[in-house]
Amino acid sequence: MHTYLGIDIGGSGFKYGWGNSQSGLQYFSSVALKNKTMEAFQAAAAEVLKETDQRFGLSRLAGIGIGTPGTIDLSTGLITGVNPNLHFWTGKDPRELVPADLQLPIRFDNDANLMALAEAKASGKKNILGITVGSGIGCGIVINGAVHHGAHGFAGELGHVCVVENGAKCNCGRLGCLESYCSVDGIRNRLAEQHPRYADLTLSQVLSLRASDPLVQDYIREGLKQLCASVARLIVVCDPEAIIFGGGAMDLGLYSLQDLKAETGKNLPELNLTGTELKTAVHGNRAGVLGAIMLFEDSN
Ligand SMILES: [Zn+2]
């Protein structure tokens, strides 16, 4: 059985590990980003490769899988779109983070797609949607066991579906996108518009205010309602076996599975009420790395 290195690129650091989809990860760790620049990305990638070489040996790898934020244009293989948190990443090829002289096959995909792929495999289901709740909202679509990219690679951009006409300003520059209501950045931006004291709060700090601050409570409740209304639409349109919620904000408890189920149920026709299971991700913060390794599954 081959061993692959999986790298999951995030705005605050790179998670990585090696293993394969049969036996899981043999090693998992992360490297923090010093800042959000291309140079910091290259330094983090170099650190990952150095650690992997020292602890396992790069020559023993059969390939490197990379999960990245942002939309990938299938016609060019480059990151496209606005990427409000990582402007410098637009137009880049993630494979450039790995030196060509390693001569290893490299595959890459969007991080939410890889989370969905890993969770589909873990749940034994072939038709699922994975939704990541973090600084933005990601969505991966798995149909018949494979990621659905759409005709151009743009499928699953749930976070930028407009849910409120002329609504809250999104990091992408448009108004009323779903993630401007229910993602961490969205909720924080809306709070900061009311008072600057909210502007620099971490998610944990926002959550600790939830019990005592009615404004925080209101905006989180509105986020839940908007997210669940969109989830219900996805269920009606796609009829998946499961919707699986993951991402850092789910781990920290921004929304509970119980609330997601109750609120989504309010928006569903009777026909759809019981068919689609709502679950939280079992792989937690490792799903992206595992999904990156699974990109090589069909080449074994
Ligand atoms: Zn947007």
Side-chain angles (χ1 to χ4, degrees), residues 159-161 170-175 177-180:
H160 300 288
V161 169
C170 182
N171 279 346
C172 76
R174 294 170 66 231
L175 299 178
C177 291
L178 176 64
E179 73 176 40
S180 63

Side-chain angles (χ1 to χ4, degrees), residues 84-85 131-139 158-160 170-171 178-180 182-186 188 227 246-249 254-255:
N85 298 316
I131 294 179
T132 57
V133 184
S135 54
I137 298 290
C139 177
L158 180 66
H160 300 288
C170 182
N171 279 346
L178 176 64
E179 73 176 40
S180 63
C182 60
S183 73
V184 177
D185 281 7
R188 187 171 36 221
L227 179 59
L254 177 58
Y255 307 119

Side-chain angles (χ1 to χ4, degrees), residues 14 18 23 46 49 62 65 79 88 98-100 106-107 128 136 158 176 180 207 235 251 260 269:
F14 285 19
W18 51 86
S23 54
L49 293 172
I79 304 289
F88 65 89
V98 179
I106 303 171
R107 296 183 181 187
I128 67 123
L158 180 66
S180 63
L207 293 177
I235 291 174
D251 295 341
L260 288 166

Side-chain angles (χ1 to χ4, degrees), residues 50-209:
K50 194 179 106 190
E51 280 291 311
T52 305
D53 199 27
Q54 285 174 356
R55 291 175 182 271
F56 182 75
L58 290 172
S59 60
R60 295 171 63 198
L61 292 174
I64 299 178
I66 301 174
T68 171
T71 305
I72 299 157
D73 185 335
L74 284 181
S75 67
T76 61
L78 303 179
I79 304 289
T80 185
V82 180
N83 298 299
N85 298 316
L86 300 165
H87 287 290
F88 65 89
W89 198 224
T90 301
K92 296 292 194 302
D93 183 335
R95 288 169 292 197
E96 286 173 15
L97 293 175
V98 179
D101 60 10
L102 274 182
Q103 294 189 317
L104 281 169
I106 303 171
R107 296 183 181 187
F108 64 101
D109 205 337
N110 167 271
D111 49 8
N113 288 348
L114 295 182
M115 171 272 196
L117 191 62
E119 293 292 333
K121 173 102 179 165
S123 64
K125 299 182 194 305
K126 290 195 174 301
N127 296 288
I128 67 123
L129 302 179
I131 294 179
T132 57
V133 184
S135 54
I137 298 290
C139 177
I141 304 166
V142 173
I143 299 175
N144 290 328
V147 172
H148 173 73
H149 292 98
H152 313 94
F154 307 161
E157 286 297 328
L158 180 66
H160 300 288
V161 169
C162 179
V163 294
V164 178
E165 194 181 2
N166 293 318
K169 189 160 196 310
C170 182
N171 279 346
C172 76
R174 294 170 66 231
L175 299 178
C177 291
L178 176 64
E179 73 176 40
S180 63
Y181 290 89
C182 60
S183 73
V184 177
D185 281 7
I187 290 169
R188 187 171 36 221
N189 289 347
R190 296 190 71 207
L191 287 167
E193 246 173 40
Q194 299 301 318
H195 198 286
R197 71 172 177 272
Y198 296 110
D200 297 318
L201 296 182
T202 63
L203 175 59
S204 299
Q205 288 167 329
V206 171
L207 293 177
S208 68
L209 287 173

